[in-house]
């Protein structure tokens, strides 16, 4: 296994002026077929596209179990005023709850389930820890989307993640249709890093978790990526899962349909890619957003 070198900033961002795209040299898949459940063909496809969809990843009973936890946390009065609970800017309804592995033993067990953990280890090629967890809600009629972005750009700039050696898992707890705010991805865009323009505002997380503005790519950058890579969408029944690279360009639109959408989201970072000081922010984000305990899961 290769240990990450952190001395040099390989992905400068939040710049004063627009800069050229950076071609990524690190792989998306660090392990091999012998290291876990993904086959050689699946790993090759993931390396090329930057994401993998697995239908029926969890059972209907599991969907009911995790949905119950989602509902419990959303209605937990003890979380009112807690920084881990993020509400919609306009309606005040729950948008996300962070650090769910510490709020729910059920979701903590999900992160350690071999069918989850073994795949995460296989993709990043090492032991992993949870960089971030949350449950996302997109209610019917009023759910607002997430603008186009690369997660790694934020994690690098504001959290100090050295390189994109992390993988995200999104498990659908409701049916994902093309029309209810489903996640859009640009296949292959994980190979291109888009530097953002503009300094990181102080305490940017207080606004960005409701509506991200700092660190988002320009319209010209999004157009260039879409022209090169195209746009795909994660659709599927409740229980399906999306594994996606930390640097892939993705986003979602508003949900104005009667059909709510919700998911469990977990980020697994390599223990060999532990966070350092932020590359483009004055101070790290709080640990409920960017975990700085790098103890391997197991």
């Amino acid at each position: 296994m290769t240990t990450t070198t952190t001395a040099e900033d390989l992905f400068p961002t939040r710049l004063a002026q627009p800069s050229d795209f950076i071609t990524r040299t690190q792989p998306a898949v660090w392990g091999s077929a012998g290291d876990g459940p993904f086959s050689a063909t699946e790993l090759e496809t993931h390396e090329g596209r930057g994401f993998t969809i697995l239908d029926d990843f969890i059972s209907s009973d599991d969907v009911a179990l995790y949905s119950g936890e989602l509902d419990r946390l959303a209605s937990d009065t003890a979380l009112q005023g807690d920084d881990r609970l993020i509400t919609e800017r306009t309606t005040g309804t729950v948008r996300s709850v962070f650090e769910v592995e510490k709020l729910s033993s059920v979701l903590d067990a999900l992160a350690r389930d071999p069918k989850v953990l073994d795949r995460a280890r296989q993709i990043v090629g090492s032991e992993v820890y949870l960089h971030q967890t949350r449950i996302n809600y997109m209610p019917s009629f009023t759910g607002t989307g997430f603008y186009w972005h690369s997660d790694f750009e934020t994690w690098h700039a504001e959290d100090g993640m050295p390189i994109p050696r992390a993988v995200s898992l999104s498990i659908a707890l409701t049916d994902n249709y093309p029309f209810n705010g489903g996640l859009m991805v640009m296949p292959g865009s994980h190979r291109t890093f888009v530097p953002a323009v503009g300094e990181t505002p102080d305490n940017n997380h207080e606004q960005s978790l409701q509506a991200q503005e700092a660190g988002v790519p320009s319209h010209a950058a999004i157009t260039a990526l879409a022209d090169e890579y195209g746009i795909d969408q994660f659709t599927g029944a409740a229980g399906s899962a999306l594994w996606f690279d930390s640097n892939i360009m993705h986003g979602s639109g508003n949900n104005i349909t009667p059909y709510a959408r919700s998911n469990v989201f977990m980020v697994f970072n390599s223990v060999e890619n532990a966070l350092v000081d932020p590359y483009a922010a004055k101070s790290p984000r709080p640990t409920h957003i960017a975990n700085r305990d790098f103890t391997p899961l197991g």
Side-chain angles (χ1 to χ4, degrees):
M1 297 179 183
T2 303
T3 301
T4 300
T5 299
T6 61
E8 181 184 0
D9 182 359
L10 301 178
F11 299 95
T13 188
R14 312 289 171 97
L15 307 175
Q17 299 294 331
S19 177
D20 292 338
F21 295 169
I22 297 172
T23 299
R24 167 183 175 171
T25 60
Q26 302 83 11
V29 175
W30 292 69
S32 63
D35 297 327
F38 285 119
S39 68
T41 299
E42 288 173 324
L43 292 177
E44 182 179 2
T45 301
H46 188 91
E47 178 68 48
R49 296 200 305 169
F51 70 96
T52 297
I53 296 174
L54 298 177
D55 296 324
D56 301 317
F57 185 66
I58 61 172
S59 68
S60 57
D61 288 343
D62 286 337
V63 169
L65 176 65
Y66 303 139
S67 295
E69 286 298 279
L70 180 145
D71 293 338
R72 179 182 69 81
L73 292 173
S75 60
D76 187 351
T77 56
L79 286 176
Q80 299 300 316
D82 192 303
D83 288 343
R84 291 173 291 188
L85 188 148
I86 309 300
T87 58
E88 293 282 4
R89 180 178 292 180
T90 55
T91 64
T93 57
V94 175
R95 178 176 175 87
S96 302
V97 178
F98 280 78
E99 206 174 44
V100 293
E101 82 281 6
K102 293 187 178 179
L103 296 171
S104 167
S105 60
V106 169
L107 295 175
D108 180 64
L110 173 63
R112 302 171 191 274
D113 189 309
K115 69 182 176 185
V116 170
L117 189 53
D118 289 350
R119 284 181 167 85
R121 289 168 172 157
Q122 186 181 17
I123 289 175
V124 305
S126 71
E127 294 295 327
V128 296
Y129 72 94
L130 285 171
H131 170 69
Q132 182 186 107
T133 67
R134 65 180 186 260
I135 47 178
N136 291 322
Y137 305 79
M138 186 172 281
S140 58
F141 298 113
T142 60
T144 57
F146 294 82
Y147 192 73
W148 289 107
H149 65 285
S150 152
D151 288 328
F152 173 69
E153 192 281 334
T154 296
W155 299 341
H156 182 73
E158 300 184 36
D159 301 337
M161 183 179 289
I163 64 172
R165 193 177 175 181
V167 65
S168 299
L169 169 64
S170 176
I171 300 178
L173 299 180
T174 51
D175 293 341
N176 282 251
Y177 302 107
F179 46 75
N180 70 333
L183 191 71
M184 297 177 289
V185 296
M186 295 186 185
S189 63
H190 62 298
R191 295 191 291 267
T192 300
F193 180 81
V194 181
V197 177
E199 291 186 357
T200 306
D202 292 343
N203 299 316
N204 182 49
H205 65 278
E206 294 178 1
Q207 292 78 39
S208 66
L209 299 179
Q210 291 182 317
Q212 187 168 350
E213 296 174 356
V216 298
S218 67
H219 289 179
I222 295 169
T223 301
L225 290 176
D227 286 346
E228 180 172 358
Y229 298 113
I231 298 174
D232 206 340
Q233 191 171 34
F234 173 38
T235 58
S240 56
L242 172 70
W243 291 89
F244 61 106
D245 185 85
S246 59
N247 189 50
I248 199 166
M249 193 62 65
H250 63 288
S252 61
N254 295 343
N255 181 17
I256 61 172
T257 75
Y259 309 109
R261 187 173 69 84
S262 60
N263 67 288
V264 176
F265 179 77
M266 295 181 169
V267 182
F268 300 89
N269 189 29
S270 169
V271 296
E272 299 170 5
N273 191 39
L275 307 185
V276 295
D277 290 338
Y279 289 90
K282 292 180 181 178
S283 59
R285 295 192 297 175
T287 55
H288 67 272
I289 302 172
N291 179 26
R292 304 188 86 86
D293 178 358
F294 312 129
T295 304
L297 291 173

